[in-house]
């Protein structure tokens, strides 16, 4: 599996300690589609912080297979506080999530802006899943790709 690079389209990528950044080629391609400095007009994306990529738990997740990445900071600001209080973080998070909908092989797109699976809003297609997943995805953007 390829490693997520330390720079994507000129944006610095910082990894949490012990993050295994070996992911599928499809995941790297999807990141290259959405991570760029001008993703949100009027705001500049300098750095993303990947808090999780390939990990062993939980088994029902795409993480163990290298098909998912969690981004928890934008330009050094935690997404949970930044999405609420920082217009730049909010704009960049919304732009990343919106752009991910056009990424090749996109599957799960969960974050504070919205929760979509294979392009469908969970609020309408699976309200029970939305109620369970929404609180867990207020502090990061979870992006995954198909097999």
């Amino acid at each position: 599996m390829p490693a997520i690079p330390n720079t994507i389209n000129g944006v610095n990528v910082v990894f949490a300690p012990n993050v295994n950044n070996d992911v599928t080629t499809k995941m790297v391609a999807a990141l290259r589609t959405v991570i760029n400095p001008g993703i949100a007009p009027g705001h500049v994306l300098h750095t993303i912080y990947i808090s999780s990529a390939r990990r062993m738990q939980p088994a029902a997740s795409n993480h163990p297979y290298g098909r998912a990445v969690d981004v928890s900071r934008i330009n050094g600001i935690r997404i949970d506080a930044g999405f609420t209080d920082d217009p730049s973080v909010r704009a960049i998070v919304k732009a990343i999530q919106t752009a991910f909908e056009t990424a090749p092989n996109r599957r799960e797109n969960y974050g504070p802006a919205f929760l979509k699976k294979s392009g469908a809003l969970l609020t309408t297609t699976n309200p029970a899943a939305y109620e369970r997943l929404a609180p867990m995805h207020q502090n990061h953007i979870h992006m995954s790709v198909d097999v």
Side-chain angles (χ1 to χ4, degrees):
M1 284 191 193
I4 300 167
N6 292 323
T7 305
I8 299 174
N9 298 323
V11 175
N12 293 317
V13 179
V14 178
F15 300 94
N18 301 318
V19 166
N20 179 350
N21 66 338
D22 294 333
V23 296
T24 66
T25 302
K26 289 179 181 180
M27 189 71 246
V28 172
L31 289 172
R32 288 186 196 282
T33 299
V34 302
I35 303 302
N36 68 74
I39 188 73
H43 306 276
V44 179
L45 177 59
H46 298 286
T47 306
I48 62 169
Y49 183 85
I50 294 182
S51 52
S52 181
R54 190 171 185 201
R55 65 173 195 246
M56 297 317 296
Q57 300 294 329
S61 170
N62 281 300
H63 285 284
Y65 310 102
R67 296 190 305 255
V69 169
D70 293 344
V71 175
S72 63
R73 295 181 196 167
I74 300 294
N75 295 338
I77 300 170
R78 290 172 48 118
I79 287 177
D80 49 359
F83 192 80
T84 303
D85 301 331
D86 188 304
S88 185
V89 170
R90 184 171 36 260
I92 292 169
V93 166
K94 286 180 177 180
I96 288 172
Q97 284 199 255
T98 299
F100 191 70
E101 285 302 298
T102 67
N105 305 295
R106 63 99 172 87
R107 182 172 172 80
E108 297 159 334
N109 184 353
Y110 302 159
F114 55 77
L115 279 75
K116 287 188 175 183
K117 186 169 185 177
S118 301
L121 283 168
L122 288 183
T123 53
T124 55
T125 60
N126 192 339
Y130 176 82
E131 292 298 322
R132 182 174 48 84
L133 293 169
M136 295 186 285
H137 293 90
Q138 295 305 301
N139 65 350
H140 68 281
I141 304 166
H142 168 87
M143 297 174 276
S144 75
V145 294
D146 287 325
V147 176

